[in-house]
Amino acid sequence: MIRSLLVATALCLSAPSLAKTVTVAPGADAQERLQEALILAEPGDVVELGAGRFDLVDGLSLDVDGVTIRGAGMDQTVLNFAGQLGAGEGLLVTSDHVVLRDFAIEDSKGDGIKSKGADDIVYYKIRVEWTRGPHPENGAYAIYPVESKNVLVDSVTTIGSSDAGIYVGQSENIIVRNSVARFNVAGIEIENSIGADVYNNIAVNNTGGILVFDLPNIPKQGGRNVRVFDNIVVDNNTPNFAPEGNIVAEVPTGMGIMVMSHYEVEVFENRLAENGTGNILIVSYTKGQDDPNYNPKPIGVRVFENIHGRAGYKPAFPGGDQLKAAFGGAIPPIIEDGTGENILIGDDVAILSMGLTAPGQPLTEAKPALIEGATEPFDGRQLTPITLPEAMEDAIR
Amino acid sequence: MRLLLSVCAVLGLAFSAGARAPQPVADAVILSGGLPKLLSDYRFFKDGAGWQPNDRVVPYRLNMPLFSDYAEKYRFIYVPPGQQAKADGDGLLAFPVGSALIKSFGYEIDGKPRLLETRVLLHRADGWLALPYVWNAEQTEARLKVAGQRIPLTFNDPSGREHEIDYGVPNKNQCKECHALSGAVTPIGPKARNLTHGGQLADLARLGLIDKEPAVDYRVPGWGEASAPLNDRARGYLDVNCAHCHNVNGSASNSGLFLTYEETMPVRIGINKRPVAAGRGSGTHDFDIAPGDPDGSIMIYRLNSLDPGISMPEVGRTVVHDEGVALLRAWIAGME
């Protein structure tokens, strides 16, 4: 009670007038009516989207703090961007304390929903989908928070992104949970970010299930402190359909969880199976780069208490077939390139090292060999769980 | 009564030249907290048709304009009486509160100029505000359209080619997407280095709209100014057409591609830079600029596209600027 009073007071202080609910129904002129509602909204307002299909011709955007956009459900309220003429995404959010919930974005020409510099943002029960299924001309990211502090992605569904379904980039303090990613190139990707918990998600039928990456020549670098746990990461064998030139085009088809050039990552209690290349891959940045501020290696990665099903039966990287034959039909479910530092693996499965000695070294120079993991089971939980401001959790209670 | 008023308004035009001074620009409207419904509320123009600037509303032009679907653009600066904008070397003029920048967009249709929209940037006490006004078919009134508008349009570009487009009037948020630095709205165009055309800075100083004529060390040439160095023209083109988003505090800050005139790091202007979040905007290419290989450069691919998921800039372009692309192609082709 005290907490909700405090929240109410905070809203009153920031809002010039009493919060109101503005309802927008589908139908003629949906573009103008909805965009106008988003522009004229005031802090604390709810913009309520009626059930049905909104046929939109341009990207939408929200730049007012403290606004909630709420639909009638992720299958009831659909923002259809098949006829989109302009803008790089379906919906762009550039303000703080925004809650997006209970609606769907379909067939946007670029990204689905992008939130940039939008702190304390909540995505809840949102569906973003390219309805034709995997296709290289689908938009890159379905859910795309970037350069933001405090990000909550909960109970969303993403389908068909030509890059990543849920992509959190250059952000801090992130939770991605209870969500489903299917038929994307990358199901969930945390990139160049600090502090993320990714848990209780289902990543199936992607090219790669869950990626934790840190890339060079990006304003925010030094990705660290990411926990990936309690996820189901199964059957991620959709052939990579990312446009070349993008880093995810490098993800081998059949990947479960992939960690690339990152500090402090914990991967535990996940259920991984039927990923043709491997369940877990830990590598350095694979391309040449000359960024003096960049660490290309994975440093401080702990893998433990995961449950592994079949994997490695269709390794999709150069030399994979020979390796598969050498291992009698399937390579080990955990693979590292050999360049990482402080990599601790406690799972009771075989581990393959590619025996590389430097980041960027070509796989043709690999010296693959089985390596020993931890001799005893261990508890690698060292990172602090992510907590978000209470108002963000309250928004979805 | 209403009839009488409108008769007076018509006669007023005839009398205004001799009988009484025209009403000055409505400073109170610029400074108000609201969203004025009509462009005429500001009285930036003496006529309803948006062609005759009022006192202290001074036309200006840029050496290198932003490409906007070959629209003709008519730009005006307004600085309130008794005040001046401050010149700061090559950079953006610093306008006092109460100033406004006005930009009308139009085409010659059937031999007659037709205005589509007028965008205003108002410097209010709490910062700049950008608003779009759309002209009616009769060309007598421009009305606020915060949500923007698509206007079907057929026109011929300067080389005579016909284009049929859905011209996009940006919505208020899209105005800000380009005009935002660290989240706050700011003017883009009136930087001294881009205002050197025809002794314009001296004129503005003489008229008292700016405090002095600044010394410009490194002016931006026009894209078609054949005598200017190719590198200056290309970098100027990128600065004017891309750098309002592609700078360290702009809407594209996360891309790491920074195209300002001042940027010196090759990778930041795209040379051998891999894309960050380009998606299919990469066009299967590895680098924003592949030196010597315009066809292998993401930059050229995106400037040549009309697909919203690929094309750059994201706002304000529905046809390809062939002349601009040719300039950048030549620039990239000449790189080693």
Side-chain angles (χ1 to χ4, degrees):
Chain A
M1 183 59 194
I2 288 177
R3 181 181 298 147
S4 54
L5 263 178
L6 281 174
V7 171
T9 310
L11 283 175
C12 289
L13 285 175
S14 60
S17 58
L18 282 177
K20 59 187 182 301
T21 296
V22 181
T23 303
V24 182
D29 302 325
Q31 179 76 39
E32 182 170 359
R33 287 184 293 113
L34 178 47
Q35 182 59 68
E36 193 166 300
L38 296 177
I39 285 172
L40 300 178
E42 296 182 320
D45 285 358
V46 176
V47 175
E48 197 159 272
L49 309 176
R53 290 180 74 81
F54 292 72
D55 292 318
L56 299 161
V57 294
D58 262 304
L60 298 166
S61 54
L62 172 66
D63 188 43
V64 182
D65 290 346
V67 170
T68 295
I69 304 177
R70 187 173 64 209
M74 69 160 76
D75 294 318
Q76 283 71 39
T77 297
V78 177
L79 306 184
N80 169 30
F81 287 91
Q84 187 179 358
L85 295 169
E89 54 282 307
L91 171 63
L92 174 67
V93 178
T94 47
S95 47
D96 299 334
H97 308 287
V98 166
V99 177
L100 308 173
R101 57 180 296 173
D102 302 296
F103 62 90
I105 299 257
E106 288 184 359
D107 298 322
S108 57
K109 301 291 181 191
D111 302 312
I113 307 177
K114 177 177 179 181
S115 51
K116 178 171 183 289
D119 293 345
D120 293 36
I121 187 152
V122 177
Y123 291 84
Y124 182 61
K125 294 189 176 172
I126 296 282
R127 175 172 58 89
V128 178
E129 178 169 4
W130 284 271
T131 55
R132 64 181 160 190
H135 194 287
E137 288 178 13
N138 291 350
Y141 304 128
I143 304 268
Y144 177 16
V146 64
E147 287 188 344
S148 300
K149 187 173 180 192
N150 300 328
V151 174
L152 176 56
V153 178
D154 190 331
S155 306
V156 309
T157 294
T158 66
I159 302 170
S161 318
S162 69
D163 197 307
I166 300 166
Y167 169 96
V168 187
Q170 302 181 61
S171 293
E172 280 177 49
N173 217 44
I174 301 144
I175 292 178
V176 176
R177 68 188 179 208
N178 309 328
S179 293
V180 177
R182 297 193 289 136
F183 294 107
N184 308 285
V185 174
I188 299 169
E189 180 173 359
I190 307 293
E191 188 176 282
N192 291 57
S193 289
I194 297 177
D197 279 355
V198 178
Y199 62 94
N200 206 32
N201 302 289
I202 298 176
V204 299
N205 295 130
N206 306 285
T207 299
I210 300 175
L211 314 183
V212 182
F213 282 13
D214 194 56
L215 304 181
N217 291 316
I218 288 184
K220 187 165 180 140
Q221 282 173 191
R224 64 185 65 231
N225 303 351
V226 175
R227 307 193 310 158
V228 178
F229 58 100
D230 270 335
N231 301 287
I232 294 173
V233 185
V234 171
D235 197 13
N236 291 290
N237 296 308
T238 294
N240 195 322
F241 60 100
E244 277 175 47
N246 292 286
I247 191 69
V248 294
E250 308 293 311
V251 173
T253 297
M255 198 63 257
I257 296 173
M258 179 167 170
V259 177
M260 186 165 78
S261 51
H262 208 279
Y263 297 102
E264 293 298 317
V265 182
E266 293 173 356
V267 179
F268 57 95
E269 291 185 353
N270 300 286
R271 290 157 179 79
L272 303 123
E274 299 300 322
N275 299 302
T277 289
N279 283 340
I280 299 175
L281 176 65
I282 302 164
V283 293
S284 282
Y285 182 66
T286 53
K287 300 200 170 234
Q289 54 84 29
D290 55 3
D291 182 344
N293 302 313
Y294 177 63
N295 157 49
K297 294 180 180 180
I299 298 177
V301 181
R302 293 175 289 282
V303 176
F304 52 95
E305 298 173 23
N306 299 290
I307 296 171
H308 291 262
R310 189 172 77 122
Y313 51 87
K314 198 177 176 188
F317 53 80
D321 282 344
Q322 292 95 305
L323 269 179
K324 173 182 153 179
F327 280 100
I331 64 172
I334 300 182
I335 310 163
E336 20 167 337
D337 68 357
T339 63
E341 296 173 17
N342 296 327
I343 313 290
L344 284 173
I345 299 172
D347 291 352
D348 188 19
V349 292
I351 307 165
L352 173 66
S353 170
M354 300 307 288
L356 298 179
T357 53
Q361 201 180 357
L363 270 182
T364 48
E365 296 171 16
K367 297 193 173 86
L370 285 174
I371 57 169
E372 292 292 320
T375 47
E376 297 283 324
F378 67 92
D379 180 354
R381 293 170 187 80
Q382 295 179 18
L383 297 173
T384 311
I386 300 295
T387 54
L388 294 168
E390 276 299 328
M392 293 176 70
E393 298 282 3
D394 286 345
I396 62 170
R397 275 194 189 114
Chain B
M1 185 62 190
R2 183 174 299 153
L3 181 67
L4 198 65
L5 276 176
S6 59
V7 169
C8 287
V10 171
L11 292 177
L13 279 177
F15 287 127
S16 62
R20 55 187 172 81
Q23 292 269 312
V25 169
D27 291 320
V29 176
I30 296 176
L31 291 166
S32 74
L35 303 176
K37 290 274 184 293
L38 299 174
L39 181 64
S40 53
D41 291 347
Y42 302 97
R43 297 200 298 263
F44 290 131
F45 300 98
K46 290 176 182 170
D47 59 336
W51 291 110
Q52 296 178 33
N54 207 339
D55 292 346
R56 299 189 68 82
V57 177
V58 177
Y60 69 100
R61 58 171 288 184
L62 301 172
N63 307 350
M64 174 83 77
L66 168 74
F67 176 74
S68 308
D69 284 356
Y70 293 105
E72 293 285 347
K73 293 192 258 189
Y74 310 92
R75 305 174 183 82
F76 306 89
I77 291 172
Y78 171 72
V79 178
Q83 301 198 57
Q84 290 182 322
K86 288 194 168 50
D88 178 19
D90 286 13
L92 190 65
L93 303 177
F95 293 94
V97 168
S99 301
L101 297 167
I102 305 113
K103 182 155 79 164
S104 295
F105 294 67
Y107 292 84
E108 194 178 290
I109 308 287
D110 299 330
K112 282 188 297 190
R114 181 185 156 206
L115 293 182
L116 296 183
E117 56 157 333
T118 296
R119 306 177 191 170
V120 302
L121 262 181
L122 312 171
H123 198 183
R124 290 183 164 172
D126 58 354
W128 290 90
L129 174 70
L131 295 174
Y133 291 81
V134 174
W135 286 92
N136 60 5
E138 299 76 29
Q139 300 277 282
T140 54
E141 189 175 86
R143 185 170 282 276
L144 179 65
K145 276 280 185 187
V146 288
Q149 191 177 329
R150 288 276 171 184
I151 304 175
L153 178 73
T154 304
F155 70 94
N156 294 309
D157 71 23
S159 70
R161 281 170 309 171
E162 186 176 282
H163 298 270
E164 197 178 327
I165 64 171
D166 285 305
Y167 178 92
V169 177
N171 68 49
K172 177 172 172 279
N173 291 348
Q174 289 172 321
C175 294
K176 185 177 167 184
E177 273 174 49
C178 292
H179 280 274
L181 274 186
S182 301
V185 174
T186 177
I188 301 168
K191 299 183 174 93
R193 66 180 180 230
N194 200 13
L195 288 167
T196 57
H197 184 83
Q200 196 170 217
L201 287 165
D203 289 345
L204 289 171
R206 203 183 63 248
L207 288 167
L209 265 72
I210 57 177
D211 60 340
K212 61 176 181 292
E213 181 191 356
V216 173
D217 294 330
Y218 192 31
R219 75 178 188 102
V220 176
W223 56 260
E225 225 178 279
S227 60
L230 177 61
N231 185 60
D232 291 3
R233 280 184 285 147
R235 290 298 303 275
Y237 189 88
L238 295 174
D239 183 73
V240 168
N241 285 279
C242 317
H244 41 268
C245 291
H246 280 283
N247 72 76
V248 73
N249 296 311
S251 293
S253 57
N254 56 302
S255 68
L257 180 68
F258 300 142
L259 297 172
T260 57
Y261 210 46
E262 300 89 345
E263 184 58 60
T264 55
M265 252 173 83
V267 72
R268 283 188 162 192
I269 64 170
I271 295 174
N272 291 322
K273 180 187 182 303
R274 294 182 191 281
V276 173
R280 65 200 175 93
S282 72
T284 74
H285 305 309
D286 284 333
F287 301 112
D288 289 343
I289 293 175
D293 182 14
D295 289 324
S297 297
I298 294 170
M299 181 181 280
I300 298 298
Y301 177 72
R302 302 193 80 165
L303 287 171
N304 261 327
S305 173
L306 298 179
D307 181 326
I310 297 170
S311 73
M312 284 284 160
E314 287 187 347
V315 174
R317 180 173 78 74
T318 61
V319 302
V320 173
H321 186 210
D322 291 328
E323 297 83 355
V325 172
L327 168 69
L328 294 175
R329 289 184 66 91
W331 178 58
I332 294 172
M335 289 180 184
E336 296 189 352

